[in-house]
Coordinates of all heavy atoms in Angstrom, one line a residue:
M1125 N -8.5 -10.4 -177.6 CA -7.3 -11.2 -177.5 C -6.1 -10.3 -177.6 O -6.0 -9.5 -178.5 CB -7.4 -12.2 -178.7 CG -6.2 -13.1 -178.8 SD -6.4 -14.3 -180.1 CE -5.2 -15.4 -179.8
A1126 N -5.2 -10.5 -176.7 CA -4.0 -9.7 -176.7 C -3.0 -10.1 -177.8 O -2.9 -11.3 -178.1 CB -3.3 -9.8 -175.3
R1127 N -2.3 -9.2 -178.3 CA -1.2 -9.5 -179.3 C -0.1 -10.1 -178.6 O 0.3 -9.8 -177.5 CB -0.8 -8.2 -180.0 CG -1.8 -7.7 -181.0 CD -1.2 -6.6 -181.8 NE 0.0 -6.9 -182.4 CZ 0.7 -6.2 -183.3 NH1 0.2 -5.0 -183.6 NH2 1.8 -6.5 -183.8
R1128 N 0.6 -11.0 -179.3 CA 1.8 -11.6 -178.8 C 3.0 -10.7 -179.1 O 3.0 -10.1 -180.1 CB 2.0 -13.0 -179.4 CG 1.0 -14.0 -179.0 CD 1.2 -15.3 -179.7 NE 0.8 -15.0 -181.1 CZ 0.8 -15.9 -182.1 NH1 1.2 -17.1 -181.9 NH2 0.5 -15.6 -183.3
T1129 N 4.0 -10.8 -178.3 CA 5.2 -10.0 -178.5 C 6.1 -10.8 -179.5 O 5.8 -12.0 -179.7 CB 6.0 -9.8 -177.3 OG1 6.5 -11.0 -176.8 CG2 5.2 -9.1 -176.2
R1130 N 7.0 -10.2 -180.1 CA 7.9 -10.9 -181.0 C 8.7 -12.0 -180.3 O 9.0 -13.0 -180.8 CB 8.9 -9.9 -181.7 CG 8.2 -9.1 -182.7 CD 9.2 -8.2 -183.5 NE 8.6 -7.6 -184.6 CZ 8.7 -6.3 -184.8 NH1 9.4 -5.5 -184.1 NH2 8.0 -5.8 -185.8
L1131 N 9.0 -11.6 -179.0 CA 9.7 -12.6 -178.2 C 8.9 -13.9 -178.0 O 9.5 -15.0 -178.0 CB 10.1 -12.0 -176.8 CG 11.0 -10.8 -176.8 CD1 11.2 -10.4 -175.4 CD2 12.4 -11.2 -177.4
E1132 N 7.6 -13.7 -177.8 CA 6.7 -14.9 -177.6 C 6.7 -15.7 -178.9 O 6.7 -17.0 -178.8 CB 5.3 -14.5 -177.2 CG 5.2 -13.9 -175.8 CD 3.9 -13.3 -175.5 OE1 3.5 -12.3 -176.2 OE2 3.2 -13.9 -174.7
V1133 N 6.6 -15.0 -180.0 CA 6.5 -15.8 -181.3 C 7.8 -16.5 -181.6 O 7.8 -17.7 -181.9 CB 6.2 -14.8 -182.5 CG1 6.3 -15.5 -183.8 CG2 4.8 -14.2 -182.3
L1134 N 9.0 -15.8 -181.4 CA 10.3 -16.5 -181.6 C 10.4 -17.7 -180.6 O 10.9 -18.7 -181.1 CB 11.4 -15.5 -181.3 CG 11.5 -14.4 -182.4 CD1 12.5 -13.3 -181.9 CD2 12.0 -14.9 -183.7
S1135 N 10.0 -17.5 -179.4 CA 10.1 -18.6 -178.4 C 9.2 -19.8 -178.9 O 9.7 -20.9 -178.8 CB 9.7 -18.1 -177.0 OG 9.8 -19.1 -176.1
S1136 N 8.0 -19.5 -179.3 CA 7.1 -20.6 -179.8 C 7.7 -21.3 -181.0 O 7.6 -22.5 -181.0 CB 5.8 -20.0 -180.1 OG 5.1 -19.4 -179.0
I1137 N 8.3 -20.6 -181.9 CA 8.8 -21.2 -183.1 C 10.0 -22.1 -182.7 O 10.1 -23.3 -183.1 CB 9.3 -20.2 -184.2 CG1 8.0 -19.5 -184.8 CG2 10.1 -20.9 -185.3 CD1 8.4 -18.3 -185.6
L1138 N 10.9 -21.6 -181.9 CA 12.0 -22.4 -181.5 C 11.6 -23.7 -180.7 O 12.1 -24.7 -180.8 CB 13.0 -21.6 -180.6 CG 13.8 -20.5 -181.4 CD1 14.5 -19.6 -180.4 CD2 14.7 -21.1 -182.4
E1139 N 10.6 -23.5 -179.8 CA 10.0 -24.6 -179.1 C 9.5 -25.7 -180.0 O 9.8 -26.9 -179.8 CB 8.9 -24.1 -178.1 CG 8.4 -25.2 -177.1 CD 9.4 -25.4 -176.0 OE1 10.0 -24.4 -175.5 OE2 9.6 -26.6 -175.7
I1140 N 8.7 -25.3 -181.0 CA 8.2 -26.3 -181.9 C 9.3 -27.0 -182.7 O 9.2 -28.2 -182.9 CB 7.2 -25.6 -182.9 CG1 6.0 -25.1 -182.2 CG2 6.8 -26.5 -184.0 CD1 5.1 -24.1 -182.9
C1141 N 10.3 -26.3 -183.1 CA 11.4 -26.9 -183.8 C 12.4 -27.7 -183.0 O 13.3 -28.3 -183.6 CB 12.1 -25.8 -184.6 SG 11.1 -25.0 -185.8
S1142 N 12.3 -27.7 -181.7 CA 13.3 -28.3 -180.8 C 13.3 -29.8 -180.8 O 14.2 -30.4 -180.4 CB 13.2 -27.7 -179.4 OG 12.0 -28.1 -178.8
G1143 N 12.2 -30.4 -181.2 CA 12.1 -31.9 -181.2 C 12.8 -32.4 -182.5 O 14.0 -32.1 -182.7
E1144 N 12.0 -33.1 -183.3 CA 12.6 -33.6 -184.5 C 12.5 -32.6 -185.7 O 12.8 -32.8 -186.8 CB 11.8 -34.9 -185.0 CG 10.4 -34.7 -185.3 CD 9.4 -34.7 -184.2 OE1 9.8 -35.0 -183.0 OE2 8.2 -34.5 -184.4
G1145 N 12.1 -31.4 -185.3 CA 11.9 -30.3 -186.3 C 10.5 -30.1 -186.7 O 9.6 -30.8 -186.2
A1146 N 10.2 -29.1 -187.5 CA 8.8 -28.8 -187.9 C 8.8 -28.2 -189.3 O 9.7 -27.4 -189.6 CB 8.2 -27.9 -186.9
S1147 N 7.7 -28.5 -190.0 CA 7.5 -27.9 -191.3 C 6.9 -26.5 -191.1 O 6.4 -26.2 -190.0 CB 6.6 -28.7 -192.2 OG 5.3 -28.7 -191.6
K1148 N 7.0 -25.6 -192.1 CA 6.5 -24.3 -192.0 C 5.0 -24.4 -191.8 O 4.4 -23.6 -191.0 CB 6.7 -23.5 -193.3 CG 6.3 -22.1 -193.3 CD 6.7 -21.4 -194.6 CE 6.2 -20.0 -194.6 NZ 6.7 -19.3 -195.9
T1149 N 4.3 -25.4 -192.4 CA 2.9 -25.5 -192.2 C 2.5 -25.9 -190.8 O 1.6 -25.3 -190.2 CB 2.3 -26.7 -193.2 OG1 2.6 -26.3 -194.5 CG2 0.8 -26.8 -193.0
R1150 N 3.3 -26.7 -190.2 CA 3.0 -27.1 -188.8 C 3.2 -25.9 -187.9 O 2.4 -25.6 -187.0 CB 4.0 -28.2 -188.3 CG 3.8 -28.6 -186.9 CD 4.6 -29.8 -186.5 NE 4.6 -29.9 -185.1 CZ 5.6 -30.4 -184.3 NH1 6.7 -30.8 -184.9 NH2 5.5 -30.5 -183.0
I1151 N 4.3 -25.1 -188.1 CA 4.5 -23.9 -187.3 C 3.4 -22.9 -187.5 O 2.9 -22.4 -186.5 CB 5.9 -23.3 -187.8 CG1 7.0 -24.2 -187.4 CG2 6.0 -21.9 -187.2 CD1 8.3 -23.8 -188.1
V1152 N 2.9 -22.7 -188.7 CA 1.8 -21.7 -189.0 C 0.6 -22.1 -188.2 O 0.0 -21.3 -187.5 CB 1.5 -21.7 -190.5 CG1 0.2 -21.0 -190.8 CG2 2.6 -20.9 -191.2
Y1153 N 0.2 -23.4 -188.3 CA -1.0 -23.8 -187.6 C -0.9 -24.0 -186.1 O -1.8 -23.6 -185.4 CB -1.5 -25.1 -188.3 CG -2.1 -24.9 -189.6 CD1 -1.5 -25.4 -190.8 CD2 -3.3 -24.2 -189.8 CE1 -2.0 -25.2 -192.0 CE2 -3.8 -24.0 -191.1 CZ -3.1 -24.5 -192.2 OH -3.6 -24.2 -193.4
Q1154 N 0.2 -24.4 -185.7 CA 0.4 -24.6 -184.2 C 0.5 -23.3 -183.4 O 0.0 -23.2 -182.3 CB 1.6 -25.4 -183.9 CG 1.6 -26.0 -182.5 CD 2.5 -27.2 -182.4 OE1 2.9 -27.8 -183.4 NE2 2.8 -27.6 -181.2
I1155 N 1.1 -22.2 -184.0 CA 1.1 -21.0 -183.3 C 0.3 -19.9 -183.9 O 0.3 -18.7 -183.4 CB 2.6 -20.5 -183.0 CG1 3.3 -20.2 -184.3 CG2 3.4 -21.5 -182.2 CD1 4.6 -19.5 -184.1
N1156 N -0.6 -20.3 -184.8 CA -1.6 -19.4 -185.4 C -0.9 -18.1 -186.0 O -1.3 -17.0 -185.7 CB -2.6 -19.0 -184.3 CG -3.8 -18.4 -184.9 OD1 -4.2 -18.6 -186.0 ND2 -4.5 -17.5 -184.1
L1157 N 0.0 -18.3 -186.9 CA 0.6 -17.3 -187.7 C 0.1 -17.4 -189.2 O -0.3 -18.5 -189.6 CB 2.1 -17.4 -187.8 CG 2.9 -16.8 -186.6 CD1 4.4 -17.2 -186.9 CD2 2.7 -15.4 -186.5
N1158 N 0.2 -16.4 -190.0 CA 0.0 -16.6 -191.4 C 1.3 -17.0 -192.1 O 2.4 -16.8 -191.5 CB -0.7 -15.4 -192.0 CG 0.2 -14.1 -192.0 OD1 1.4 -14.2 -192.3 ND2 -0.5 -13.0 -191.7
F1159 N 1.2 -17.5 -193.3 CA 2.4 -18.0 -193.9 C 3.5 -16.8 -194.2 O 4.7 -17.1 -194.1 CB 2.1 -18.7 -195.3 CG 1.6 -20.1 -195.0 CD1 0.3 -20.3 -194.8 CD2 2.5 -21.1 -195.0 CE1 -0.2 -21.6 -194.6 CE2 2.1 -22.4 -194.8 CZ 0.8 -22.7 -194.6
K1160 N 3.0 -15.6 -194.5 CA 3.9 -14.5 -194.8 C 4.7 -14.2 -193.5 O 6.0 -14.1 -193.6 CB 3.2 -13.3 -195.3 CG 4.0 -12.1 -195.6 CD 3.2 -10.9 -196.0 CE 4.1 -9.7 -196.2 NZ 3.4 -8.5 -196.4
N1161 N 4.1 -14.0 -192.4 CA 4.8 -13.7 -191.1 C 5.7 -14.8 -190.7 O 6.8 -14.6 -190.2 CB 3.8 -13.3 -190.1 CG 3.1 -12.0 -190.3 OD1 3.7 -11.1 -191.0 ND2 1.9 -11.8 -189.7
A1162 N 5.2 -16.0 -190.8 CA 6.0 -17.2 -190.5 C 7.3 -17.2 -191.3 O 8.4 -17.5 -190.7 CB 5.2 -18.5 -190.7
G1163 N 7.2 -16.9 -192.6 CA 8.4 -16.9 -193.4 C 9.4 -15.8 -193.0 O 10.6 -16.1 -193.0
V1164 N 8.9 -14.7 -192.5 CA 9.8 -13.6 -192.0 C 10.5 -14.1 -190.8 O 11.7 -13.9 -190.7 CB 9.0 -12.3 -191.8 CG1 9.9 -11.3 -191.0 CG2 8.4 -11.7 -193.0
Y1165 N 9.8 -14.7 -189.9 CA 10.4 -15.2 -188.6 C 11.4 -16.3 -188.9 O 12.5 -16.3 -188.4 CB 9.4 -15.6 -187.6 CG 8.7 -14.5 -186.9 CD1 7.4 -14.2 -187.2 CD2 9.3 -13.8 -185.9 CE1 6.7 -13.2 -186.5 CE2 8.7 -12.7 -185.2 CZ 7.4 -12.4 -185.5 OH 6.8 -11.4 -184.8
L1166 N 11.0 -17.2 -189.8 CA 11.9 -18.4 -190.1 C 13.1 -17.9 -190.8 O 14.2 -18.4 -190.5 CB 11.1 -19.4 -190.9 CG 10.0 -20.2 -190.2 CD1 9.2 -21.0 -191.2 CD2 10.6 -21.0 -189.1
K1167 N 13.0 -17.0 -191.7 CA 14.2 -16.4 -192.4 C 15.1 -15.8 -191.4 O 16.3 -16.0 -191.5 CB 13.8 -15.5 -193.5 CG 15.0 -14.9 -194.3 CD 14.5 -14.0 -195.4 CE 15.7 -13.4 -196.2 NZ 17.0 -13.5 -195.8
W1168 N 14.6 -15.0 -190.5 CA 15.5 -14.3 -189.5 C 16.2 -15.3 -188.6 O 17.4 -15.2 -188.4 CB 14.6 -13.3 -188.7 CG 15.5 -12.5 -187.8 CD1 16.1 -11.3 -188.1 CD2 15.8 -12.8 -186.4 NE1 16.8 -10.9 -187.0 CE2 16.6 -11.8 -185.9 CE3 15.5 -13.9 -185.5 CZ2 17.1 -11.7 -184.6 CZ3 16.0 -13.8 -184.3 CH2 16.8 -12.8 -183.8
L1169 N 15.4 -16.3 -188.1 CA 16.0 -17.3 -187.3 C 17.1 -18.1 -188.0 O 18.1 -18.5 -187.5 CB 14.9 -18.3 -186.7 CG 14.0 -17.6 -185.6 CD1 12.8 -18.5 -185.4 CD2 14.8 -17.5 -184.3
T1170 N 16.8 -18.4 -189.3 CA 17.8 -19.2 -190.1 C 19.0 -18.3 -190.4 O 20.2 -18.8 -190.3 CB 17.1 -19.7 -191.4 OG1 16.0 -20.5 -191.1 CG2 18.1 -20.5 -192.2
D1171 N 18.8 -17.1 -190.8 CA 19.9 -16.2 -191.1 C 20.8 -16.0 -189.9 O 22.1 -15.8 -190.1 CB 19.4 -14.8 -191.6 CG 18.8 -14.9 -193.0 OD1 19.0 -15.9 -193.7 OD2 18.2 -13.9 -193.4
K1172 N 20.3 -16.0 -188.7 CA 21.1 -15.7 -187.5 C 21.7 -17.0 -187.0 O 22.4 -17.0 -186.0 CB 20.2 -15.1 -186.4 CG 19.6 -13.8 -186.8 CD 20.7 -12.7 -186.9 CE 20.1 -11.4 -187.2 NZ 21.1 -10.4 -187.5
G1173 N 21.3 -18.2 -187.6 CA 21.9 -19.4 -187.2 C 21.2 -20.1 -186.0 O 21.8 -21.1 -185.4
Y1174 N 20.0 -19.7 -185.7 CA 19.2 -20.4 -184.7 C 18.4 -21.6 -185.2 O 18.0 -22.5 -184.4 CB 18.3 -19.4 -184.0 CG 19.0 -18.2 -183.4 CD1 18.7 -16.9 -183.8 CD2 20.0 -18.4 -182.4 CE1 19.4 -15.8 -183.2 CE2 20.7 -17.3 -181.9 CZ 20.4 -16.1 -182.3 OH 21.1 -15.0 -181.7
L1175 N 18.1 -21.6 -186.5 CA 17.5 -22.7 -187.1 C 18.2 -23.1 -188.4 O 18.9 -22.3 -189.0 CB 16.0 -22.4 -187.5 CG 15.0 -22.1 -186.5 CD1 13.7 -21.7 -187.2 CD2 14.8 -23.4 -185.6
V1176 N 18.1 -24.4 -188.8 CA 18.6 -24.8 -190.1 C 17.4 -25.5 -190.8 O 16.6 -26.0 -190.2 CB 19.8 -25.8 -190.0 CG1 21.0 -25.1 -189.4 CG2 19.4 -27.0 -189.2
K1177 N 17.4 -25.4 -192.1 CA 16.4 -26.0 -192.9 C 17.0 -27.2 -193.6 O 18.0 -27.1 -194.3 CB 15.8 -25.0 -193.9 CG 14.6 -25.6 -194.6 CD 14.0 -24.5 -195.5 CE 12.7 -25.2 -196.2 NZ 12.1 -24.3 -197.2
E1178 N 16.4 -28.4 -193.3 CA 16.8 -29.6 -193.9 C 15.6 -30.2 -194.7 O 14.6 -30.7 -194.0 CB 17.3 -30.6 -192.8 CG 18.5 -30.1 -192.1 CD 18.9 -31.1 -191.0 OE1 18.2 -32.1 -190.8 OE2 19.9 -30.8 -190.3
G1179 N 15.6 -30.0 -196.0 CA 14.4 -30.4 -196.8 C 13.3 -29.4 -196.4 O 13.4 -28.2 -196.5
K1180 N 12.2 -30.0 -196.0 CA 11.0 -29.1 -195.6 C 11.0 -28.9 -194.1 O 10.1 -28.1 -193.6 CB 9.7 -29.8 -196.0 CG 9.5 -29.9 -197.5 CD 8.2 -30.5 -197.8 CE 8.0 -30.5 -199.3 NZ 6.6 -31.0 -199.7
M1181 N 11.9 -29.4 -193.4 CA 11.9 -29.3 -191.9 C 12.9 -28.2 -191.4 O 14.0 -28.1 -191.9 CB 12.3 -30.7 -191.3 CG 11.4 -31.8 -191.7 SD 9.7 -31.6 -191.2 CE 9.9 -32.0 -189.5
H1182 N 12.4 -27.5 -190.4 CA 13.2 -26.5 -189.7 C 13.6 -27.1 -188.4 O 12.8 -27.6 -187.7 CB 12.4 -25.2 -189.5 CG 12.0 -24.6 -190.8 ND1 12.8 -23.7 -191.4 CD2 10.9 -24.7 -191.5 CE1 12.2 -23.2 -192.5 NE2 11.0 -23.9 -192.6
K1183 N 14.9 -27.2 -188.2 CA 15.5 -27.8 -186.9 C 16.3 -26.7 -186.2 O 17.0 -25.9 -186.7 CB 16.3 -29.0 -187.3 CG 15.5 -30.1 -188.0 CD 16.3 -31.3 -188.2 CE 15.5 -32.4 -188.9 NZ 16.1 -33.6 -189.0
I1184 N 16.2 -26.9 -184.8 CA 16.9 -25.9 -184.0 C 18.4 -26.3 -183.9 O 18.7 -27.5 -184.0 CB 16.2 -25.9 -182.6 CG1 16.7 -24.7 -181.8 CG2 16.5 -27.2 -181.8 CD1 15.8 -24.5 -180.5
T1185 N 19.2 -25.3 -183.8 CA 20.7 -25.5 -183.7 C 21.1 -25.3 -182.2 O 20.2 -24.9 -181.4 CB 21.4 -24.4 -184.5 OG1 21.2 -23.1 -183.9 CG2 21.1 -24.4 -186.0
P1186 N 22.3 -25.7 -181.9 CA 22.7 -25.4 -180.5 C 22.6 -23.9 -180.1 O 22.2 -23.6 -178.9 CB 24.2 -25.9 -180.5 CG 24.2 -26.9 -181.5 CD 23.3 -26.4 -182.6
A1187 N 22.9 -23.0 -181.0 CA 22.7 -21.6 -180.7 C 21.2 -21.3 -180.5 O 20.8 -20.5 -179.6 CB 23.2 -20.7 -181.8
G1188 N 20.3 -22.0 -181.2 CA 18.9 -21.8 -181.1 C 18.4 -22.3 -179.7 O 17.5 -21.7 -179.1
K1189 N 19.0 -23.4 -179.3 CA 18.6 -24.0 -177.9 C 19.0 -23.0 -176.8 O 18.2 -22.7 -175.9 CB 19.2 -25.3 -177.7 CG 18.7 -26.4 -178.6 CD 19.4 -27.7 -178.3 CE 18.8 -28.8 -179.3 NZ 19.4 -30.1 -179.1
E1190 N 20.2 -22.4 -177.0 CA 20.6 -21.4 -176.0 C 19.7 -20.2 -176.1 O 19.3 -19.6 -175.0 CB 22.0 -21.0 -176.3 CG 22.7 -20.1 -175.3 CD 24.2 -19.9 -175.5 OE1 24.9 -20.8 -176.0 OE2 24.6 -18.7 -175.3
M1191 N 19.3 -19.7 -177.3 CA 18.4 -18.6 -177.4 C 17.1 -18.9 -176.8 O 16.5 -18.0 -176.1 CB 18.3 -18.2 -178.8 CG 17.4 -16.9 -179.0 SD 17.1 -16.5 -180.7 CE 16.2 -15.0 -180.5
L1192 N 16.6 -20.1 -177.0 CA 15.3 -20.5 -176.4 C 15.3 -20.4 -174.9 O 14.4 -19.9 -174.3 CB 14.9 -21.9 -176.9 CG 13.6 -22.4 -176.3 CD1 12.4 -21.6 -176.7 CD2 13.3 -23.9 -176.8
L1193 N 16.4 -20.9 -174.3 CA 16.5 -20.8 -172.8 C 16.5 -19.3 -172.4 O 15.9 -18.9 -171.4 CB 17.7 -21.5 -172.3 CG 17.7 -23.0 -172.5 CD1 19.1 -23.6 -172.1 CD2 16.7 -23.6 -171.6
D1194 N 17.3 -18.5 -173.1 CA 17.3 -17.1 -172.8 C 16.0 -16.4 -173.0 O 15.6 -15.6 -172.1 CB 18.4 -16.3 -173.7 CG 19.8 -16.8 -173.4 OD1 20.1 -17.3 -172.4 OD2 20.6 -16.5 -174.3
L1195 N 15.2 -16.7 -174.0 CA 13.9 -16.1 -174.2 C 13.0 -16.5 -173.1 O 12.1 -15.7 -172.7 CB 13.3 -16.6 -175.6 CG 14.0 -15.9 -176.8 CD1 13.5 -16.5 -178.1 CD2 13.7 -14.4 -176.8
K1196 N 13.0 -17.8 -172.7 CA 12.2 -18.2 -171.6 C 12.5 -17.5 -170.3 O 11.6 -17.1 -169.6 CB 12.3 -19.7 -171.3 CG 11.7 -20.6 -172.4 CD 11.8 -22.1 -172.1 CE 11.1 -22.9 -173.1 NZ 11.1 -24.3 -172.7
E1197 N 13.8 -17.2 -170.1 CA 14.1 -16.5 -168.9 C 13.6 -15.0 -169.0 O 13.1 -14.5 -168.0 CB 15.7 -16.5 -168.7 CG 16.1 -15.8 -167.4 CD 17.6 -15.9 -167.2 OE1 18.3 -16.8 -167.9 OE2 18.2 -15.1 -166.4
I1198 N 13.8 -14.4 -170.1 CA 13.3 -13.0 -170.4 C 11.8 -13.0 -170.2 O 11.3 -12.0 -169.5 CB 13.8 -12.5 -171.8 CG1 15.3 -12.3 -171.8 CG2 13.0 -11.2 -172.1 CD1 15.8 -12.1 -173.2
C1199 N 11.1 -13.9 -170.7 CA 9.6 -13.9 -170.6 C 9.2 -14.0 -169.2 O 8.3 -13.4 -168.7 CB 9.0 -15.0 -171.5 SG 9.1 -14.7 -173.2
S1200 N 9.9 -14.9 -168.4 CA 9.6 -15.0 -167.0 C 9.9 -13.7 -166.2 O 9.1 -13.4 -165.3 CB 10.3 -16.2 -166.4 OG 11.6 -16.0 -166.2
I1201 N 11.0 -13.1 -166.5 CA 11.3 -11.8 -165.9 C 10.3 -10.8 -166.2 O 9.9 -10.0 -165.3 CB 12.7 -11.4 -166.3 CG1 13.8 -12.3 -165.7 CG2 13.0 -9.9 -165.8 CD1 15.2 -12.1 -166.2
L1202 N 9.8 -10.7 -167.4 CA 8.9 -9.7 -167.8 C 7.4 -10.1 -167.5 O 6.5 -9.4 -167.9 CB 9.0 -9.4 -169.3 CG 10.4 -8.8 -169.7 CD1 10.4 -8.7 -171.3 CD2 10.6 -7.5 -169.1
N1203 N 7.3 -11.3 -167.0 CA 5.9 -11.9 -166.7 C 5.1 -12.0 -167.9 O 3.9 -11.7 -167.9 CB 5.2 -11.0 -165.6 CG 5.9 -11.1 -164.3 OD1 6.3 -12.2 -163.8 ND2 5.9 -10.0 -163.6
I1204 N 5.7 -12.5 -169.0 CA 5.0 -12.7 -170.2 C 4.6 -14.2 -170.2 O 5.4 -15.1 -170.0 CB 5.8 -12.4 -171.5 CG1 6.2 -11.0 -171.5 CG2 5.1 -12.8 -172.7 CD1 7.2 -10.6 -172.6
E1205 N 3.3 -14.5 -170.5 CA 2.9 -15.9 -170.5 C 3.5 -16.6 -171.7 O 3.5 -16.1 -172.8 CB 1.4 -16.0 -170.6 CG 0.6 -16.0 -169.4 CD -0.8 -16.3 -169.6 OE1 -1.2 -17.2 -170.4 OE2 -1.6 -15.6 -169.0
E1206 N 4.0 -17.8 -171.4 CA 4.5 -18.7 -172.5 C 3.4 -19.5 -173.0 O 2.6 -20.0 -172.2 CB 5.7 -19.5 -172.0 CG 6.9 -18.7 -171.7 CD 8.1 -19.5 -171.3 OE1 8.3 -20.5 -172.0 OE2 8.8 -19.2 -170.3
H1207 N 3.4 -19.8 -174.3 CA 2.4 -20.6 -174.9 C 2.9 -22.0 -175.1 O 3.9 -22.3 -175.5 CB 1.9 -20.0 -176.2 CG 1.3 -18.6 -175.9 ND1 0.1 -18.4 -175.3 CD2 1.7 -17.4 -176.3 CE1 -0.1 -17.2 -175.2 NE2 0.8 -16.5 -175.8

């Protein structure tokens, strides 16, 4: 099994949070991360303003939606499979 790039993981997290939001547990199980790594990614995305935490839910911000579109474009240019 090939390792995912950081771009793929970030894109997957933003995609999951783009609807009504997602809990850390949902993110961990849906993209097959451990809780420690998920926490690192979620903290980075939150600190940069791409996600906000409301209660237990992580929700995407307008900047996060823009980043998600950019990540999808980058992945397509680099021929990285999206999950």
Side-chain angles (χ1 to χ4, degrees):
M1125 181 177 192
R1127 284 185 59 171
R1128 293 174 290 181
T1129 66
R1130 288 188 173 130
L1131 296 179
E1132 290 174 294
V1133 174
L1134 290 170
S1135 179
S1136 296
I1137 291 171
L1138 289 171
E1139 187 75 44
I1140 292 167
C1141 296
S1142 66
E1144 68 274 354
S1147 67
K1148 184 176 180 179
T1149 302
R1150 179 175 170 212
I1151 293 165
V1152 164
Y1153 287 111
Q1154 197 158 343
I1155 64 173
N1156 196 26
L1157 276 178
N1158 63 44
F1159 280 90
K1160 180 182 176 188
N1161 288 336
V1164 171
Y1165 283 108
L1166 290 170
K1167 180 177 179 351
W1168 187 85
L1169 287 165
T1170 302
D1171 289 349
K1172 298 295 182 187
Y1174 300 121
L1175 290 178
V1176 292
K1177 187 172 180 188
E1178 297 177 1
K1180 292 183 179 183
M1181 301 298 282
H1182 296 273
K1183 297 184 179 186
I1184 196 167
T1185 64
K1189 289 179 184 179
E1190 190 175 320
M1191 183 183 183
L1192 179 58
L1193 292 174
D1194 292 343
L1195 286 171
K1196 285 182 177 187
E1197 184 177 343
I1198 290 167
C1199 288
S1200 71
I1201 290 169
L1202 298 175
N1203 293 319
I1204 297 173
E1205 268 187 47
E1206 292 185 44
H1207 300 291

